[in-house]
Amino acid sequence: MSSPLKFAAFGAAVCLAAASAICNAQAWPSKPIRMLVGFPPGGPTDVVARLVSEKVAGQVNERFVIDNRPGAAGNIAAEILAKSNPDGHTLLYSSNAIALSPGLYPKLGYDPIKDIAPITEIGAGCLIVVVHPSLPTTSVKEFIDYAKARPGQLNYASSGAGTSTHLAVVLFSQRTGIQAQHVPYKGTAPSLVDMIAGRTQFLFGAVNTAVPHVREGRLRALAVTGAKRIQSLPDLRTLEESGMPGFVVTTWQGLFAPAGTPAAVLAKINAEFAKAVHSPELKPRLEQQDMEPTGPGVAKFTGMYLAELQKWTKVARDAGLKAE
Amino acid sequence: MHKAAIFRLEILFSAFLLVLGIAIVGVSLGYGFGSLARPGPGLYPAFLGVAIAIAAFFVLMADLRSATGKHHLDRQGAIMLVLMTATFCLWILVMPLLGYVVVTLLAAYAFCKIMRLEGWRKPLAVSGGTALFIFLLFDYWMYVDLPRGFWN
Amino acid sequence: MEGLSLLFNGFANSFTLVNLVACFTGALIGTIVGTLPGLGPTATMALMLPFTLPYGATTGLIMMTGVWYGAMYGGSTTSILVNIPGEAASVVTCLDGYQMCRKGRAGAALALVAVGSFVAGTIGILGLQFFAPFLGNAALSFGPPEFLCFMILTFILLSNLSADAPLKGALMIAFGLFLSTIGINPLDSYPRFTFGSETLMLGIDFLPIAMGLFGISEILTIAVTKYVKPEIIKIRLRDLYPDKEEVRRSINPMLRGSVLGFFIGLLPGPCTVISTFVSYALEKRLSKTPEEFGKGAVEGVVGPESANNSAVMGSMIPLLTLGLPFAAPSAIMLAGLRMHNVEPGPMLFVNNPDVFWTFIAAMYLGNIMLLILNLPLVGVFAKIAMIRPQILMPIISVICLVGVYSVRNSLFDVWVMIAAGVVGFFLRQWRYPIAPFIIGVVLGPTTENSLRQTLITFRGDVSLIVDRPVSVTLLVLAAAFLAYKVIAIFTGKKLVLAVEKDDTL
């Protein structure tokens, strides 16, 4: 090709690229959006993912296709996201597992900082500290004393190794110095069964599944782990209020894109999801799932994600929990 | 395939399982047995490995003793087996490249011909109809994400 | 009785057009989904969740249960016709159902299964209606130790399946159990036997193995056998439906399966699948002609199929009374109910009793609907079985390929299916029983998890198990069965190391 022609071709390419970048943001979405979910269909994360996607689909007039890729506590889906085309049409909906599992799996197939672009948080909830009624403890302080007097004798249930129900207790144990035996279960339901039956003594569990049983008297609630009290049990104190300042564990769900997605596209997606999350249709449904809709901006959420990542990696490392 | 060959394959299989069982125990050792109070990841697989090895050993002994070799796969049968399996494998290999509609159609046609369906009209009708049905069902109705190859 | 008046209310509510349509749609979709290899009821229900939102809790619940229920109905169709399990709970039906089809009794099998499912469903709904509150609490008493003992009992019961070649059967179970350990164990996030491969980290899914082992191996076997064109037998209407003898033999298995399935449904885990295995093993043990099992014994078809339908109802109990979903489909229904602001659990009967009763009424209706839907189709389906293999096998082959792929979008799964098909082909040639293999794969995770959880909670002291009455009962039962077997061996039956007869088991 002759020189001027080459230059013209180059110039045209540059213009096209710029135009398409601008157009991209305006044009999102331009085709059906693939929403990766790292958990099997029907699980709590999946259900909310579908709800929210459905709402946004209506707002932007484009289909969302939920792609369930369960496995390795959501890592498989995250890895697929990291390797996807950063055009805003492949997104990942994840629970806070995405911040927890890197601490447990040092050999990840992706870099949780460099390969992921956080977009927004959909909602945040917390865990509830429950004990079996046979324990003579009615407050967090009594419980800590009781547990300290019996190192290694108490069992606690979790919904699986590496989940927030497990790591929250690890963090708690590190802070308070108690020693308890971890009994992992596959999912929330079996962990609750054994809690109610008294085979395990305490649990830091998901609020919506535990609260009905607390109301029935089958379990006794000591505190919630969040920064604020929960709606369903407004008299229940938080752990901070119970004498553990700075101890806050939230369970959140968020939206992510591959790193390299243009900032304009990220902002647009953020805006749409934030709008959906605060809409009168979705807000009550999210609250039912014990999640307070948030929808922060991209920068704020990115900061939050990085902080969570750092916190839980440290917890896992200090406790010596590592899968190979 | 010669009579004896299949028979030998059977012996190989039980021998393979015996070796596998032992290998499993070996790998499980690396995962750690833990204690009875805190079972490690390797305890259960090791137990299974032992069970596999023992059972395979006895089956192997029995197979070696009963030298009947009465199960046979004649040449034509073996060819069919290879052709069918090859078509299955080719579907897997080619599908991401050319998209599932085309490859399914081709595979169905191939299966028809391998199973000795006469002519070309019937196989075409069968494979075309099936491919269309699959397309409507999986893609259109259930929105399943299937590769289109480079026709996207 | 207060219950009856509430039930009448329930019927009145369920007769609304919306609910009836929802029930029918759910059942229809469920039947189709159950028939198709690959997609299962769980994923379908998840897909349908958003659509049920505008219609209210009861309608949504009805529709989704219809799907699950219909899937249990539909799954048996392909098992019987072409030896391909549409989903996990239909695997056992392949064993004798397909043999019945080969003997020309496909229509009979299909019809009996439809009726059996109906009976089981009715019994299940009755159980749900009357015993829900009481049984909810009973479900709580089943923890890891109980489950472990139940698994031991199940394995001993199931060892009967390979009575002709017990060592090969044991080998197959152990191998199946081993395959289920490949991957990351959810209990401790520890990858095993993955050798760094990410695909293996996901574990080997059960469905590709089942489809390969049963379906693909059958396709390969048919391809290899020289096809002899049968004489054109005119299909008489009589042939399409069961004869008196078959009906007579089916009555007890139907009832037994229904009751058994209902109670097994109360348990956590893959209850529908387990119910089919246990029912099959039980029927074989109770039968006066156990050697017929594996060759087309009608009891072996009707019992398990009834069991899996009533297991669906059984597993609704922990969901509705405790708010605890024990099976994957129940989890989705829980989510759906929550979205409609209905909190299942002990408060359900107080706060939203109409949900419960309308649901019960709709299930009765749905049951009838499914029966009416399926019985006439028996004729159509039976004719499908008569299609020439040259046409039928290619169609089935590609449907399996796409179907398996569509579950996890995984080419690896398709490879697994093909490999299982080839291995299954040879296993059948060499007279290895393949049912125990599948059983090992299915029951593996539950067995290991129960074992480990039990050991952890007991701190390794297994003798603590005597403190638990349910566990002790189960262990005693297991020991009794084992003793019976050992005595039977010593009093005459020879211990055979290889299967001599032409046995497809």
Side-chain angles (χ1 to χ4, degrees):
Chain A
M1 249 200 267
S2 65
S3 214
L5 214 53
K6 261 202 248 177
F7 182 74
F10 179 68
V14 170
C15 290
L16 266 174
S20 77
I22 299 173
C23 283
N24 250 341
Q26 321 292 53
W28 185 87
S30 56
K31 54 176 183 173
I33 297 143
R34 182 180 176 207
M35 181 74 89
L36 289 162
V37 176
F39 296 93
T45 318
D46 174 77
V47 163
V48 182
R50 287 175 194 274
L51 270 180
V52 180
S53 306
E54 195 68 23
K55 182 88 185 60
V56 177
Q59 282 170 203
V60 301
N61 236 323
E62 189 61 71
R63 248 202 305 143
F64 273 78
V65 178
I66 307 279
D67 190 1
N68 294 86
R69 302 288 182 127
N75 281 346
I76 309 275
E79 198 181 320
I80 297 179
L81 177 82
K83 301 195 170 120
S84 301
N85 198 343
D87 61 358
H89 290 91
T90 308
L91 304 171
L92 171 73
Y93 187 92
S94 177
S95 68
N96 55 356
I98 197 174
L100 265 52
S101 36
L104 291 163
Y105 297 87
K107 243 192 331 184
L108 285 178
Y110 68 99
D111 184 318
I113 301 181
K114 293 201 220 117
D115 294 337
I116 307 274
I119 302 181
T120 186
E121 185 190 57
I122 301 297
C126 62
L127 298 173
I128 185 171
V129 181
V130 290
V131 297
H132 191 256
S134 66
L135 261 64
T137 60
T138 50
S139 74
V140 175
K141 187 169 183 318
E142 280 179 26
F143 174 70
I144 297 177
D145 293 335
Y146 183 84
K148 273 187 159 153
R150 295 162 181 73
Q153 284 177 23
L154 294 182
N155 291 337
Y156 69 93
S158 80
S159 51
T163 57
S164 40
T165 54
H166 171 210
L167 291 181
V169 180
V170 172
L171 182 61
F172 184 80
S173 309
Q174 287 172 351
R175 277 279 293 252
T176 56
I178 68 171
Q179 284 172 359
Q181 177 64 44
H182 173 216
V183 186
Y185 290 87
K186 198 170 165 187
T188 320
S191 65
L192 271 177
V193 171
D194 268 23
M195 264 306 292
I196 295 173
R199 288 182 276 267
T200 51
Q201 282 73 46
F202 70 99
L203 162 76
F204 278 44
V207 174
N208 45 16
T209 27
V211 165
H213 298 285
V214 171
R215 289 216 181 97
E216 275 281 292
R218 284 195 249 250
L219 295 173
R220 187 183 308 136
L222 295 183
V224 285
T225 67
K228 289 192 290 199
R229 298 191 182 184
I230 56 175
Q231 275 184 346
S232 30
L233 291 173
D235 294 327
L236 192 61
R237 299 203 273 181
T238 67
L239 277 178
E240 285 196 296
E241 287 171 341
S242 310
M244 294 191 66
F247 190 99
V248 172
V249 175
T250 46
T251 55
W252 47 267
Q253 292 182 4
L255 195 65
F256 298 84
T261 310
V265 178
L266 287 181
K268 182 128 196 280
I269 303 179
N270 177 303
E272 289 296 334
F273 273 85
K275 192 165 92 181
V277 152
H278 288 288
S279 67
E281 296 97 3
L282 261 195
K283 195 157 191 280
R285 298 216 194 277
L286 284 176
E287 281 163 359
Q288 262 160 34
Q289 306 278 338
D290 278 312
M291 286 217 305
E292 203 192 302
T294 45
V298 174
K300 184 150 175 240
F301 182 54
T302 309
M304 203 199 102
Y305 165 69
L306 290 173
E308 283 274 289
L309 197 58
Q310 204 184 31
K311 171 174 168 185
W312 294 110
T313 313
K314 185 170 186 302
V315 169
R317 209 174 345 125
D318 289 346
L321 301 166
K322 259 200 206 313
E324 231 79 319
Chain B
M1 236 188 264
H2 194 55
K3 260 189 180 188
I6 274 288
F7 171 62
R8 261 188 258 133
L9 205 58
E10 184 173 356
I11 303 273
L12 270 176
F13 183 68
S14 31
F16 163 72
L17 283 177
L18 175 61
V19 172
L20 181 71
I22 300 176
I24 293 173
V25 179
V27 178
S28 308
L29 260 172
Y31 292 146
F33 285 179
S35 62
L36 261 191
R38 300 189 64 164
L43 186 65
Y44 178 73
F47 171 68
L48 289 179
V50 169
I52 292 179
I54 294 182
F57 175 73
F58 282 112
V59 172
L60 183 63
M61 293 297 116
D63 280 346
L64 283 173
R65 252 182 285 147
S66 71
T68 44
K70 62 183 181 280
H71 324 297
H72 58 272
L73 194 64
D74 62 359
R75 188 180 162 72
Q76 178 148 39
I79 293 181
M80 291 293 272
L81 181 66
V82 170
L83 281 176
M84 293 288 282
T85 313
T87 314
F88 277 117
C89 295
L90 278 173
W91 186 93
I92 303 178
L93 293 167
V94 180
M95 201 260 298
L97 300 170
L98 291 181
Y100 76 99
V101 181
V102 171
V103 182
T104 303
L105 188 108
L106 290 174
Y109 192 87
F111 281 129
C112 286
K113 292 313 286 177
I114 297 177
M115 310 252 339
R116 291 181 235 103
L117 190 63
E118 322 77 30
W120 61 269
R121 287 200 185 83
K122 272 197 211 146
L124 193 61
V126 169
S127 51
T130 315
L132 182 67
F133 169 70
I134 289 181
F135 171 71
L136 286 174
L137 189 64
F138 283 92
D139 203 329
Y140 191 71
W141 190 50
M142 298 203 283
Y143 294 163
V144 177
D145 192 18
L146 292 162
R148 316 279 169 98
F150 53 78
W151 266 289
N152 210 343
Chain C
M1 190 169 50
E2 187 205 340
L4 267 183
S5 72
L6 285 171
L7 185 61
F8 281 137
N9 270 349
F11 269 111
N13 283 347
S14 65
F15 259 104
T16 65
L17 191 62
V18 179
N19 284 347
L20 284 175
V21 170
C23 190
F24 183 73
T25 318
L28 184 63
I29 294 183
T31 314
I32 296 178
V33 163
T35 317
L36 283 176
L39 201 65
T42 318
T44 316
M45 285 159 77
L47 275 172
M48 286 169 63
L49 249 189
F51 296 125
T52 62
L53 281 180
Y55 296 109
T58 323
T59 314
L61 186 63
I62 291 174
M63 186 140 144
M64 296 216 279
T65 315
V67 171
W68 193 8
Y69 202 62
M72 294 298 127
Y73 256 86
S76 52
T77 310
T78 44
S79 302
I80 294 175
L81 290 179
V82 284
N83 206 38
I84 295 184
E87 53 123 47
S90 325
V91 167
V92 170
T93 318
C94 291
L95 299 176
D96 278 74
Y98 182 63
Q99 294 310 311
M100 281 182 75
C101 174
R102 284 181 54 174
K103 283 202 249 176
R105 308 300 303 152
L110 289 168
L112 281 170
V113 161
V115 173
S117 299
F118 174 74
V119 168
T122 312
I123 293 183
I125 300 172
L126 280 170
L128 183 62
Q129 180 183 340
F130 289 113
F131 299 120
F134 314 120
L135 285 176
N137 286 322
L140 283 178
S141 64
F142 227 80
E146 282 70 37
F147 225 97
L148 183 64
C149 297
F150 181 59
M151 288 289 109
I152 295 179
L153 174 63
T154 308
F155 280 123
I156 294 189
L157 268 179
L158 290 169
S159 67
N160 205 17
L161 284 185
S162 54
D164 301 321
L167 274 176
K168 284 186 173 175
L171 183 56
M172 290 285 101
I173 286 194
F175 189 50
L177 286 172
F178 164 68
L179 281 186
S180 72
T181 61
I182 300 182
I184 297 195
N185 183 331
L187 282 194
D188 56 15
S189 292
Y190 199 88
R192 291 184 295 193
F193 304 106
T194 57
F195 307 116
S197 150
E198 276 155 20
T199 358
L200 279 183
M201 278 218 282
L202 286 176
I204 302 187
D205 204 14
F206 150 84
L207 196 67
I209 298 185
M211 285 174 61
L213 214 56
F214 286 87
I216 305 291
S217 72
E218 179 66 20
I219 295 177
L220 290 175
T221 311
I222 291 184
V224 163
T225 328
K226 290 189 186 32
Y227 178 65
V228 175
K229 210 166 170 187
E231 306 127 37
I232 313 267
I233 308 170
K234 215 162 168 301
I235 307 265
R236 300 170 298 178
L237 195 64
R238 260 189 290 154
D239 280 343
L240 284 180
Y241 290 93
D243 60 34
K244 276 213 196 92
E245 176 68 21
E246 285 162 340
V247 173
R248 188 188 62 81
R249 285 169 64 179
S250 303
I251 299 181
N252 279 336
M254 256 188 230
L255 295 172
R256 276 194 291 261
S258 308
V259 175
L260 189 67
F262 181 72
F263 285 106
I264 293 186
L266 290 173
L267 304 175
C271 52
T272 40
V273 187
I274 296 182
S275 70
T276 56
F277 289 145
V278 176
S279 169
Y280 188 81
L282 189 68
E283 290 306 321
K284 186 168 181 189
R285 235 172 236 281
L286 292 176
S287 159
K288 299 191 184 55
T289 54
E291 63 282 349
E292 230 194 289
F293 276 72
K295 300 208 202 68
V298 68
E299 297 92 344
V301 183
V302 172
E305 275 300 319
S306 309
N308 72 19
N309 275 74
S310 60
V312 171
M313 290 301 141
S315 103
M316 295 294 289
I317 291 193
L319 174 68
L320 292 175
T321 59
L322 296 174
L324 290 176
F326 280 170
S330 321
I332 300 189
M333 288 206 270
L334 179 66
L337 281 174
R338 287 238 180 82
M339 282 195 233
H340 291 291
N341 238 334
V342 174
E343 185 64 46
M347 290 288 114
L348 182 72
F349 293 95
V350 177
N351 293 342
N352 305 78
D354 45 305
V355 170
F356 180 72
W357 292 106
T358 314
F359 169 73
I360 298 261
M363 280 299 107
Y364 279 121
L365 286 175
N367 214 9
I368 299 178
M369 265 193 228
L370 275 169
L371 188 67
I372 299 177
L373 193 68
N374 278 310
L375 269 182
L377 289 177
V378 162
V380 174
F381 284 131
K383 296 244 184 64
I384 293 184
M386 303 295 293
I387 299 181
R388 291 197 295 162
Q390 286 97 330
I391 298 184
L392 192 59
M393 294 297 119
I395 298 180
I396 305 289
S397 302
V398 292
I399 290 186
C400 282
L401 283 170
V402 181
V404 157
Y405 179 78
S406 69
V407 177
R408 290 201 298 187
N409 274 44
S410 157
L411 281 179
F412 176 68
D413 283 352
V414 193
W415 283 116
V416 167
M417 183 176 82
I418 307 299
V422 175
V423 170
F425 170 79
F426 283 111
L427 285 179
R428 292 161 79 163
Q429 291 271 316
W430 299 329
R431 307 284 184 252
Y432 276 82
I434 51 178
F437 185 14
I438 269 295
I439 292 171
V441 176
V442 174
L443 296 183
T446 326
T447 314
E448 178 180 15
N449 290 351
S450 311
L451 177 69
R452 291 176 76 173
Q453 285 160 352
T454 308
L455 284 176
I456 293 180
T457 37
F458 284 171
R459 306 282 195 280
D461 187 5
V462 194
S463 67
L464 283 176
I465 216 161
V466 298
D467 287 336
R468 321 188 59 93
V470 181
S471 303
V472 174
T473 321
L474 289 170
L475 279 179
V476 166
L477 266 177
F481 273 115
L482 195 61
Y484 175 71
K485 245 177 99 77
V486 172
I487 294 174
I489 291 179
F490 275 114
T491 55
K493 297 199 183 171
K494 288 189 306 185
L495 189 65
V496 181
L497 281 173
V499 177
E500 296 301 331
K501 308 168 269 175
D502 185 15
D503 202 338
T504 37
L505 197 63

